[in-house]
Amino acid sequence: MEYFTLIVSAIFINNVLLMRYLGLCPFLGVSKKMETAIGMAFAVIFVLSMASFITFGVFKLLAIAKIEYIRTLAFILVIASLVQFVEMFLKKVIPALYKALGIFLPLITTNCAVLGVCIININEKFTLVEALVFSVASAAGFGLALILFAGIREKFELARVPKPLQGTGIGLITAGLISLSFFAFMGMI
Amino acid sequence: MSDLKKEFLKGLWSVIPPFRFVLGLCPVLAVTTTMENGIGMGVAATFVLVCSNFLVSALRNIIPDQVRVACYIVIIATFVVVVEMVMKAYAPALSESLGIFIPLIVVNCLILGRAEAFAKKNPVALSVADGLGMGIGFTMSLTALGFIRELFGKGVIPFTEIQVLAQPFDFLQKAPGAYVALGLMLGILNVIGKK
């Protein structure tokens, strides 16, 4: 039950993208087409679940050595090398998956959702299982918002948007409206 | 001298981030619920941007091209840790309200973007001027957005307790309002820029 609450809250109520404002650059960058949005969503789920597992261990090590203050530096290095490693591993072992996720993987290093969720895991003092559940659910929430947004954005091709708002402007306003609709989930828990 | 001035001034208006140069949006939306937070975030990002531009530019002939992004991230992360510690020590309240967005300056695409697009191929003085201009432009944008969201969302004049709106427009304080306000400001700036 406790995990269920955590999952629902991470996906709908505290959606990482729409409520916590993490990962906006890829959100606006890759959401022009449905296919790329789906690819990005799965790449984030994949990397975030691994990253939260590893950064959890790394933080324990830092705590033992009493150098928690270099947390940010350590985490970003872990994430960057993890992404690189995953890319090489997939290329060698599962080429089909590499082809599907390939170009999105390098972009994930600078996706603040990944680093952000890893830091939230530590700040909220989650246990390892809670951290993993929270990370996967957050990534799923990110994917959900991204795919919803891409679906709407594809329709903009046909719409007559006022000139000054074309591109990013209307994108942000749409994101605001999706975020507003997610507010309705607030009463759920 | 005129080059320095040009690189400095471009960040203040012609490519002012994040409106003309849509990068680094996460902190822009997250911390601008009040003007004070906006200024705090802007100053922190400016410091990191100037320092990282300085160091990247100074080391530009030493850093091998293949691993440059990893090097930039280490340089940026180091300065972010400095900011994190300084802020915790001297401005604990601000550090508390900015929360995880201080460590997240590391992945602010604006800073990495300037290192990659400018500092790696320009001399030190120009890079610092560019960083300073971009940073101040970013701070101005955050301040303006914070001012609007605090004035209309909370109904108080920033830095005072004076209530000017009896019925504050609460929508602007929440996430949807942040997105819509930024989107509209972007549109307004596009209109002004067209002249």
Side-chain angles (χ1 to χ4, degrees):
Chain A
M1 192 57 209
E2 188 191 328
Y3 293 128
F4 178 74
T5 316
L6 198 61
I7 292 172
V8 172
S9 121
I11 295 182
F12 295 109
I13 299 164
N14 283 318
N15 187 291
V16 71
L17 191 65
L18 299 171
M19 297 297 161
R20 290 189 197 263
Y21 319 94
L22 295 173
L24 278 170
C25 297
F27 180 62
L28 293 167
V30 302
S31 61
K32 289 214 176 81
K33 278 213 173 92
M34 199 55 149
E35 273 168 53
T36 52
I38 293 173
M40 187 64 174
F42 280 100
V44 168
I45 294 177
F46 192 66
V47 171
L48 187 49
S49 46
M50 289 176 78
S52 68
F53 182 71
I54 296 177
T55 51
F56 194 86
V58 168
F59 188 73
K60 287 278 177 281
L61 286 179
L62 292 181
I64 291 168
K66 296 218 167 29
I67 43 170
E68 288 104 325
Y69 57 87
I70 61 158
R71 171 185 80 174
T72 314
L73 183 59
F75 280 15
I76 191 71
L77 281 179
V78 167
I79 292 170
S81 38
L82 176 74
V83 168
Q84 191 72 57
F85 177 75
V86 167
E87 203 181 339
M88 290 189 308
F89 179 80
L90 286 184
K91 203 173 187 177
K92 203 97 187 162
V93 184
I94 324 174
L97 191 60
Y98 175 75
K99 236 177 209 163
L101 301 183
I103 50 164
F104 303 110
L105 282 173
L107 289 176
I108 291 181
T109 312
T110 50
N111 183 339
C112 35
V114 177
L115 183 61
V117 169
C118 291
I119 293 176
I120 291 173
N121 280 339
I122 304 296
N123 283 353
E124 300 275 322
K125 300 198 171 58
F126 282 148
T127 63
L128 181 58
V129 181
E130 278 171 348
L132 280 179
V133 170
F134 178 73
S135 309
V136 175
S138 293
F142 177 82
L144 176 71
L146 187 62
I147 291 168
L148 276 177
F149 187 55
I152 297 176
R153 222 171 168 191
E154 276 189 341
K155 302 269 184 243
F156 280 151
E157 305 264 308
L158 307 170
R160 282 171 55 199
V161 179
K163 202 142 199 211
L165 287 178
Q166 270 168 13
T168 322
I170 196 76
L172 284 166
I173 292 172
T174 316
L177 296 179
I178 301 178
S179 164
L180 194 61
S181 71
F182 270 61
F183 254 70
F185 290 115
M186 268 208 175
M188 262 171 54
I189 289 178
Chain B
M1 200 57 215
S2 66
D3 272 359
L4 274 181
K5 206 172 149 195
K6 201 184 96 214
E7 298 302 344
F8 175 71
L9 287 178
K10 76 170 191 282
L12 299 187
W13 181 247
S14 65
V15 290
I16 183 168
F19 297 115
R20 300 278 164 75
F21 208 74
V22 189
L23 284 175
L25 284 179
C26 309
V28 175
L29 292 174
V31 304
T32 51
T33 47
T34 66
M35 192 164 136
E36 192 188 349
N37 286 354
I39 295 174
M41 186 69 201
V43 171
T46 306
F47 170 76
V48 177
L49 186 56
V50 170
C51 294
S52 82
N53 259 9
F54 170 76
L55 209 58
V56 166
S57 166
L59 298 174
R60 69 185 185 282
N61 296 324
I62 303 170
I63 296 175
D65 211 35
Q66 296 89 342
V67 291
R68 62 177 194 283
V69 175
C71 295
Y72 300 162
I73 288 181
V74 173
I75 291 173
I76 295 168
T78 312
F79 289 116
V80 170
V81 173
V82 172
V83 168
E84 222 182 331
M85 291 165 82
V86 168
M87 214 175 244
K88 223 176 233 164
Y90 293 103
L94 187 62
S95 155
E96 186 75 16
S97 60
L98 295 182
I100 65 166
F101 288 93
I102 296 287
L104 284 179
I105 298 176
V106 179
V107 281
N108 189 325
C109 340
L110 178 66
I111 295 170
L112 195 61
R114 287 332 281 168
E116 172 73 24
F118 197 87
K120 80 162 184 191
K121 50 198 171 200
N122 285 290
V124 175
L126 281 183
S127 300
V128 171
D130 171 79
L132 200 60
M134 285 283 178
I136 292 174
F138 190 63
T139 311
M140 284 179 357
S141 310
L142 283 171
T143 310
L145 200 58
F147 178 74
I148 291 171
R149 284 183 68 193
E150 190 171 2
L151 182 64
F152 294 108
K154 277 190 178 161
V156 293
I157 297 171
F159 293 112
T160 61
E161 299 286 312
I162 306 165
Q163 191 85 23
V164 282
L165 290 179
Q167 275 289 340
F169 192 44
D170 195 36
F171 173 71
L172 274 176
Q173 283 282 308
K174 302 273 168 52
Y179 282 105
V180 173
L182 185 63
L184 290 177
M185 268 180 88
L186 212 132
I188 293 170
L189 250 87
N190 276 344
V191 172
I192 300 172
K194 286 271 150 58
K195 276 175 192 164

